[in-house]
Amino acid sequence: MPENQQRSGEELFRDFAPLGSPAVYTRDRCDEISDTVARIRELKRERRAVILAHNYQRPEIFEVADFVGDSLELARKGTTVDADVIVFCGVHFMAETAKILSPERTVLLPDLRAGCSLAESVDADSLEERRDELKAVYPDLQVACYVNTTAEVKAVCDVCVTSSNATDIVEKLPTNNVLFVPDENLARHVQENTKKNIIAWDGNCYVHHQITPEQIERVRKHLPRVKVLAHPECRQDVLDLADAVLSTSGMIGYARESDAQEFLVVTECGLSDRLLLELPEKTFYKSCKLCAYMKMITLEGTLRSLEEMSHPIELDEDVRAGAERSLKRMLELS
Ligand code: 13P
Ligand code: SF4
């Protein structure tokens, strides 16, 4: 670990820690990882498979991934890869998105427990009911759904959005009234940046929603030059304190381009591993918040997935086609 990232012991690290967790990667563990990585690479060739990984994945997953990115980048990449099989190291809605856009490919999720608290906070029946109620009041209403939703929900919506394009897409919709599901925080952030009327659902991400403004202020007091980068799934009172509100890949781009040396990365912990690997000369402070769903994907589970071809994503064709319409509209508009 670079010396400039080895600060410790201060009160400010109660909520935000400096990068690196060296204890986990012992010599024995590294030998194990290296054998598993070699076997995964062999199987990828045999199966004509690629591995797509989200920015929050474990660092050893980055070693075997063909592409690492945020939700929008992964959705696009899934449509262009030259492969029969996609192993998705991320959460269920991300693998489902890949299957929706590439039904001819086998899409595998190494662990079916890898869900998402946002995706679980809205179901298609309740959404249809709410949409119909609101349409009686706002006949021009359109429904925008965050990509962190099930295929059934996407099929009921007019358009999908991600953290990197939500405001832009809402601005481009031919309507003034938008029901935005399921993230209340992202909805509020969009509302701050548009004159349109945004009606929010009441879901949130359990990882980002627990971060408080007091935690950010405490760090700022000790590190006055730190740039605060926050994910739009955070509460509005946290976003108000940020220098930039960005998707996970947006944060990497910002840190790369910025002249600043110190960054507070207000999102799930895993992104910091990627930042450490890509920008070792800069100093990052990470929030000690883990997404338990993302961390269900392991290197060993990924190997098993390729060995056993588990677990394939299957979708009802009507649902898939409906969800594809919402996703394609997003890809065309963004
Ligand atoms: P990004 O699209 O910014 O990678 O966000 C996905 C996500 O689930 C964040 O919690
Ligand atoms: Fe879902 Fe939050 Fe985990 Fe992202 S961090 S996958 S929004 S639970």
Side-chain angles (χ1 to χ4, degrees), residues 2 20 40 101 114 249 275 332:
I40 288 176
L101 293 171
S249 287
L275 285 162
E332 282 157 19

Side-chain angles (χ1 to χ4, degrees), residues 242-256:
D243 292 288
V245 177
L246 298 159
S247 77
T248 53
S249 287
M251 291 185 194
I252 299 169
Y254 185 102
R256 186 180 290 121

Side-chain angles (χ1 to χ4, degrees), residues 54-56 69-72 93-94 146 148 162-163 205 208 231 233 246-249 267 294:
H54 185 262
N55 287 323
Y56 292 160
D70 68 13
S71 305
L72 182 61
F93 76 82
M94 294 177 177
Y146 194 24
N148 299 36
T162 71
S163 58
C205 159
H208 291 84
H231 195 276
E233 288 170 17
L246 298 159
S247 77
T248 53
S249 287
T267 189
M294 284 280 178

Side-chain angles (χ1 to χ4, degrees), residues 201-212:
W201 200 260
D202 63 355
N204 57 58
C205 159
Y206 87 100
V207 180
H208 291 84
H209 197 66
Q210 58 180 299
I211 300 172
T212 65

Side-chain angles (χ1 to χ4, degrees), residues 1-6 18-22 25 59 62 252 265 269-284 286:
M1 182 169 60
E3 203 185 316
N4 68 345
Q5 293 175 356
Q6 286 184 331
L19 285 191
S21 37
Y25 295 98
F62 298 153
I252 299 169
V265 185
C269 233
L271 182 70
S272 311
D273 293 327
R274 198 171 162 207
L275 285 162
L276 179 60
L277 290 168
E278 295 207 5
L279 301 167
E281 71 287 1
K282 300 207 173 185
T283 302
F284 298 96
K286 62 181 176 178

